[in-house]
Amino acid sequence: MKGGGADDFRDSFFEECEELLEAMHDGFDQIANETHDSETIHAVFRAVHSIKGGAGAFGLDGLVGFAHHFETALEKVRSGEIEADYEVLELFKHCGDHLSDLVAAARDDEEVAQETAAALGEKLNEVIGFDPSEAEELPDFEPTTLDFGMLDLSAPPLPAGYVIAFTAHPELFGSGNEPLLLFRSLEKLGTLDVTCDSSEVPPLEELDPATCLLSWTLRIETEVDEVTLEEVFEFVEDCCEITITALEPAEGAEPYSLPDLGAEESVPFPEPPAETPDIAEDGDAPAGASEDSGDLGANHGEASADAAPPPAKAPAKQVKDTKEPKEKQEKQRGGGATIRVDLERVDKLINLVGELVIKEAMLSQSIAVLDLPSENDVSTGLESLKQLAGEIQEGVMAIRAQPVKPMFQRMARIVREAASATGKRVHFVTRGEYTEVDKTVIERLVDPLTHMIRNAVDHGLEDTETRIANGKNPEGTVILSAAHRSGRVVIDVSDDGGGINRPRVLEIARDKGLVAEDAELQPSEIDNLLFMPGFSSKAEVSELSGRGVGLDVARSEIQALGGRVAITSTAGEGTTFAISLPLTLAVMEGMVIDVAGQTMVVPITAIQETLQPRTVAIHRIGAQGRVLKNRDSLVPIVDLGASFQFRDEPEDLGDQVLLLIETENDRRCALIVDNIQDQRQVVIKSLETNYRRIDGIAAATILGDGRIALIIDPDSIVRDVSIPSDPTMQLMR
Amino acid sequence: MSSTLTLAPRLDSPAADALARELAEARGAAIRLDAGAVTFCGALTLQLLLSARRQWQADGHPFEMDAPSQDMTDACRLLGVSPEDIGILHETGEPQ
């Protein structure tokens, strides 16, 4: 299934898998947090079942096998036979992780270590009370294609079947699909007999090779239900005509039941396909089912196993009529109609809108030069155009915005893995998972966040004994939250561990020569030492009850996104890393300023206030240092022109303007600039992509007059500010 | 005069166009198709072969498929097409 449209078909399956895995993880979270209802486990089961169904169509046997085994265990919970306690739930979560790995491996054509599946398989067997060693003695044993030694304990096969009428539209082939493969999948579900009507096919000279004039009648004898058959056609249902008609069951047999998926929650969900008919079909166990299958059949007591046989099937049913479970899932996710769009197209649109904003600024400037009367049609028209462009821009940005939820779910897995590795019990809490952030920001945040989450579990949380000794809950808590704040997104990683061991951190920093022996540092400054490159390697930090693994790397990655990280810690109570990020990497609100003849942009989010030097108190410290007294604290003054070596710092600040900026670390400084031009939205053009990274500069933009202006990076400016060493002065906070 | 056309191994939908052209060029004379290397034959190509055989019949020339591979005959079976309808006289790979 390679090449062109077939790849699209495959891609679409894997995209569906992402959604299904998300639904599965959601379900586990709800069960863990006890916010679930009886539908939750059905939703999880459906998700795994659908992945299995799709994987079967692509011949992904490893995925099918594991999904089936997993689904069998889920069925035990679904039927109420076993309870989803902590241990079971943890196992299911690990199985969910492995299922995600298998999906990813299948997507990327990679191999997955068999050992994990085997180990999880054994644990699943324990959960479902299945002993492979006893299995062979059971009379109903039928070898299956699975690796796990699963058994067929189900009832004898029911003589049920269907007739499927199938006609392919041209789009079916255009999208890389192929009836042959669909029929091959069907063949795996039972005994298939295919009849082709080729009466419409003309001689070669009249044939359009791209139009399929064949139509098929497929008769299948199978134990699977109609929904499973429909799943084979799930990916082509929009480009074919398909009618599935149930055949009358053979005399003496119970009618083959089709679960009413739209009915009450106690109604069971369709069972796995016949190639792996390990579980008794819900509610359809015949009266003569063997004792061996009794335990499985009993599971379905609440599913009215003893109730009257379900009504006969409708004679014929369009596939779409039975798609309710999926639609229900969609509704539960709160999603309406959606389309999949190639990201490249969205990015192109974003670029074009960026250009539109630049052109609009240029037009504004040209009109300003014309010196038109203040109330003129051109300016009014331009104003409307600006508003429209702004709305378009907002709309386009919203397309790229995605909830952070899938990323948070990945982090849940990191927590589980770190907890397993360290032997700690961790309660992972996520908040604000529907907060939307630019897709690229989300993608690039995965690595730094992974570092921080691992760090929180590994080094932030104390071990269980220590927690108990300190009178804390033996189970540590890690909270990952996201929220929009002042045009940025703030993501916090908090733990309720012992907090940063500051004396130890300071000691290490001194040993490594990162701070002077006699340096007096504020707590927040000590905390920030953890971000210093070279502060620690894993080996050294593991001796430390603090933290430090890869944090310098994590911070650089976040800074590269235009973000900032702040750290707060309280001894005995825990530590919080607060990441503040721009909502998008495409535009930002900036203040356009002049300095030493250059036009530059300062991100508006960093600016606290603008001040006239004449009206404020400025003190000298030492030979060159100057500080600004602002609300009972002293703030160092930096000349932006001098910091970029455009000029020497001006002595007299009479004509200049001070921009008071603050970073996430609560560090502040006042920048000397010559003039403020304007405050406006600027389109961000990456310097790194187009040139290279320059310290102190975050990016560039194009101004209305077509010139390029550099966007300054306030964090790196403040970071480089040397703190006046006058002991009489209190440091800026 | 007759010609022999060796079929490509992968006869999926994108391959149907090219094969249609090749077949159109071979019209007007008996044809033997060598399907021994075919590993995949999709519905559109099978339809094309059906159509070609009808054309050859109408033109009054023989249309035969030789030594079809197992995958070729499997495709016929799964798509419900009788092997004779695409000129397969003997279903084994061995010439008879």
Side-chain angles (χ1 to χ4, degrees):
Chain A
M1 287 294 293
K2 282 277 169 191
D7 280 348
D8 292 346
F9 183 27
R10 209 177 135 90
D11 289 349
S12 147
F13 163 66
F14 287 116
E15 278 169 28
E16 288 249 356
C17 278
E18 293 283 313
E19 289 171 13
L20 292 165
L21 288 169
E22 187 182 324
M24 176 192 73
H25 285 299
D26 269 354
F28 289 143
D29 287 346
Q30 285 167 14
I31 295 169
N33 299 331
E34 295 181 350
T35 54
H36 62 293
D37 54 26
S38 48
E39 169 60 22
T40 310
I41 189 70
H42 292 293
V44 171
F45 183 90
R46 274 200 297 272
V48 177
H49 184 65
S50 299
I51 290 173
K52 188 180 87 168
F58 287 99
L60 305 170
D61 294 339
L63 185 53
V64 172
F66 184 77
H68 179 75
H69 203 171
F70 189 12
E71 171 185 83
T72 309
L74 287 169
E75 163 60 21
K76 293 271 182 180
V77 174
R78 195 165 69 109
S79 63
E81 191 179 336
I82 57 169
E83 197 189 335
D85 60 12
Y86 179 81
E87 303 296 334
V88 170
L89 201 57
E90 284 302 296
L91 172 63
F92 282 176
K93 284 178 181 177
H94 278 112
C95 288
D97 291 343
H98 186 63
L99 194 65
S100 306
D101 284 348
L102 288 171
V103 168
R107 183 190 55 217
D108 303 335
D109 281 334
E110 286 172 357
E111 292 290 318
V112 174
Q114 293 294 319
E115 299 79 43
T116 317
L120 289 171
E122 275 175 28
K123 287 184 183 166
L124 284 173
N125 278 346
E126 283 171 26
V127 167
I128 55 184
F130 168 69
D131 181 356
S133 63
E134 291 172 11
E136 291 174 25
E137 292 163 21
L138 291 172
D140 281 340
F141 175 72
E142 279 178 25
T144 71
T145 54
L146 298 181
D147 297 329
F148 310 108
M150 297 295 293
L151 285 188
D152 181 4
L153 299 174
S154 63
L158 283 170
Y162 302 86
V163 172
I164 304 167
F166 178 80
T167 313
H169 296 165
E171 307 90 69
L172 184 137
F173 298 94
S175 60
N177 292 305
E178 173 55 57
L180 180 69
L181 296 173
L182 298 170
F183 299 170
R184 195 172 279 163
S185 296
L186 270 183
E187 197 180 33
K188 290 181 182 169
L189 303 180
T191 310
L192 184 69
D193 180 51
V194 185
T195 314
C196 176
D197 178 1
S198 62
S199 56
E200 298 292 315
V201 177
L204 189 63
E205 61 189 2
E206 295 164 34
L207 180 80
D208 170 10
T211 305
C212 185
L213 300 165
L214 303 172
S215 59
W216 289 271
T217 305
L218 304 112
R219 190 189 162 99
I220 183 165
E221 282 181 29
T222 178
E223 289 174 49
V224 304
D225 58 28
E226 194 171 327
V227 177
T228 307
L229 293 178
E230 287 163 11
E231 280 174 3
V232 171
F233 298 95
E234 190 174 0
F235 289 93
V236 294
E237 63 188 28
D238 295 333
C239 44
C240 69
E241 277 168 37
I242 173 165
T243 311
I244 301 178
T245 312
L247 289 172
E248 285 301 314
E251 206 178 322
E254 291 282 321
Y256 190 86
S257 78
L258 175 70
D260 181 0
L261 299 166
E264 291 305 309
E265 57 208 17
S266 62
V267 174
F269 195 74
E271 283 298 330
E275 89 251 33
T276 49
D278 314 34
I279 318 167
E281 301 292 340
D282 283 324
D284 61 2
S290 70
E291 287 299 309
D292 289 328
S293 63
D295 59 338
L296 285 169
N299 303 340
H300 312 307
E302 68 167 284
S304 69
D306 298 325
K313 286 179 192 201
K317 207 170 187 182
Q318 289 294 315
V319 169
K320 284 198 171 175
D321 294 343
T322 56
K323 294 307 291 178
E324 194 164 341
K326 195 175 167 192
E327 282 161 16
K328 205 168 169 185
Q329 252 177 298
E330 296 275 340
K331 272 181 201 158
Q332 280 169 350
R333 283 204 297 269
T338 56
I339 54 161
R340 294 185 197 285
V341 183
D342 190 356
L343 196 58
E344 218 170 90
R345 289 193 194 183
V346 177
D347 285 347
K348 196 173 171 194
L349 198 57
I350 286 181
N351 268 335
L352 282 175
V353 174
E355 295 302 319
L356 179 69
V357 171
I358 291 169
K359 289 284 180 290
E360 167 223 292
M362 288 178 171
L363 195 57
S364 278
Q365 197 138 342
S366 308
I367 291 170
V369 172
L370 293 177
D371 203 19
L372 296 170
S374 59
E375 291 292 323
N376 63 77
D377 289 349
V378 179
S379 300
T380 317
L382 184 69
E383 209 45 52
S384 313
L385 196 65
K386 266 187 190 174
Q387 270 184 7
L388 280 175
E391 280 173 34
I392 294 173
Q393 195 170 34
E394 220 166 88
V396 175
M397 295 303 165
I399 298 176
R400 268 197 73 100
Q402 306 250 304
V404 292
K405 190 177 169 195
M407 180 181 65
F408 276 20
Q409 286 188 336
R410 285 173 75 169
M411 294 305 134
R413 176 179 186 169
I414 303 294
V415 170
R416 281 196 291 281
E417 287 171 353
S420 297
T422 54
K424 294 173 183 173
R425 268 186 75 163
V426 186
H427 178 47
F428 183 58
V429 180
T430 56
R431 290 178 188 151
E433 52 192 9
Y434 289 101
T435 306
E436 292 195 336
V437 189
D438 185 279
K439 187 176 165 64
T440 308
V441 176
I442 293 179
E443 283 164 2
R444 289 174 58 186
L445 200 56
V446 168
D447 284 347
L449 213 50
T450 302
H451 270 298
M452 289 181 178
I453 292 276
R454 275 200 191 123
N455 222 41
V457 176
D458 195 6
H459 302 289
L461 295 178
E462 317 92 323
D463 56 46
T464 312
E465 294 74 35
T466 314
R467 289 184 71 90
I468 294 170
N470 291 339
K472 285 180 156 180
N473 185 337
E475 188 178 67
T477 302
V478 173
I479 303 172
L480 180 59
S481 67
H484 282 157
R485 212 173 292 154
S486 314
R488 290 176 78 84
V489 63
V490 180
I491 294 178
D492 287 350
V493 181
S494 314
D495 64 64
D496 69 343
I500 292 171
N501 185 344
R502 294 194 178 109
R504 182 85 178 104
V505 169
L506 194 56
E507 191 187 319
I508 289 184
R510 282 183 176 143
D511 288 351
K512 288 181 171 284
L514 298 171
V515 289
E517 281 295 325
D518 58 348
E520 293 281 329
L521 298 180
Q522 296 290 317
S524 67
E525 289 170 322
I526 297 176
D527 295 348
N528 278 307
L529 290 173
L530 298 174
F531 289 123
M532 288 189 77
F535 170 79
S536 59
S537 67
K538 191 170 174 68
E540 284 149 346
V541 165
S542 54
E543 297 165 9
L544 168 75
S545 60
R547 30 183 85 236
V549 180
L551 284 178
D552 59 321
V553 179
R555 187 173 72 165
S556 334
E557 284 167 345
I558 290 164
Q559 281 173 341
L561 285 171
R564 302 190 284 267
V565 197
I567 179 169
T568 49
S569 180
T570 309
E573 289 180 17
T575 306
T576 298
F577 285 90
I579 303 166
S580 162
L581 291 157
L583 286 178
T584 166
L585 302 178
V587 289
M588 60 170 271
E589 194 72 19
M591 191 173 271
V592 184
I593 50 125
D594 291 323
V595 60
Q598 303 287 326
T599 305
M600 304 189 92
V601 178
V602 182
I604 208 80
T605 48
I607 300 175
Q608 263 196 336
E609 56 185 306
T610 58
L611 303 160
Q612 288 292 336
R614 275 193 222 95
T615 63
V616 293
I618 294 173
H619 304 276
R620 283 209 163 271
I621 296 180
Q624 292 180 330
R626 275 189 285 197
V627 293
L628 161 76
K629 189 161 189 301
N630 178 265
R631 297 193 183 117
D632 299 329
S633 66
L634 296 166
V635 181
I637 296 177
V638 177
D639 178 42
L640 203 55
S643 72
F644 288 118
Q645 296 170 358
F646 292 152
R647 66 178 176 201
D648 293 329
E649 188 167 329
E651 272 304 306
D652 179 23
L653 299 183
D655 298 330
Q656 266 83 13
V657 183
L658 291 173
L659 299 183
L660 189 63
I661 61 170
E662 185 182 49
T663 69
E664 282 296 307
N665 296 334
D666 291 342
R667 292 187 67 161
R668 297 197 292 166
C669 97
L671 298 179
I672 302 171
V673 302
D674 294 346
N675 180 38
I676 295 172
Q677 281 189 17
D678 195 7
Q679 179 184 323
R680 69 167 85 122
Q681 211 166 49
V682 294
V683 179
I684 300 171
K685 299 281 179 188
S686 167
L687 263 193
E688 282 166 72
T689 312
N690 301 308
Y691 179 53
R692 65 178 171 84
R693 179 164 172 76
I694 299 171
D695 209 34
I697 301 294
T701 189
I702 300 169
L703 297 172
D705 57 7
R707 286 190 304 142
I708 292 171
L710 298 174
I711 302 171
I712 75 150
D713 175 7
D715 271 316
S716 68
I717 304 254
V718 173
R719 199 172 57 232
D720 295 340
V721 172
S722 57
I723 298 161
S725 55
D726 189 331
T728 61
M729 293 290 179
Q730 191 199 344
L731 257 191
M732 306 70 232
R733 280 280 309 166
Chain B
M1 187 183 144
S2 77
S3 58
T4 299
L5 184 59
T6 304
L7 297 179
R10 191 162 179 84
L11 298 176
D12 54 9
S13 308
D17 255 347
L19 181 59
R21 280 195 299 274
E22 284 184 78
L23 286 167
E25 282 170 17
R27 267 187 69 186
I31 189 168
R32 287 176 59 197
L33 302 178
D34 179 352
V38 173
T39 56
F40 183 92
C41 182
L44 282 183
T45 317
L46 205 58
Q47 172 184 268
L48 175 66
L49 292 169
L50 277 169
S51 165
R53 182 163 179 272
R54 285 175 193 181
Q55 185 68 60
W56 258 255
Q57 274 184 330
D59 294 347
H61 296 294
F63 182 98
E64 285 179 22
M65 185 176 288
D66 257 359
S69 65
Q70 185 65 43
D71 287 331
M72 185 73 218
T73 49
D74 257 2
C76 289
R77 181 183 59 79
L78 263 176
L79 289 168
V81 171
S82 161
E84 292 81 30
D85 288 349
I86 58 166
I88 297 176
L89 302 176
H90 311 291
E91 285 198 25
T92 66
E94 298 297 319
Q96 297 190 10

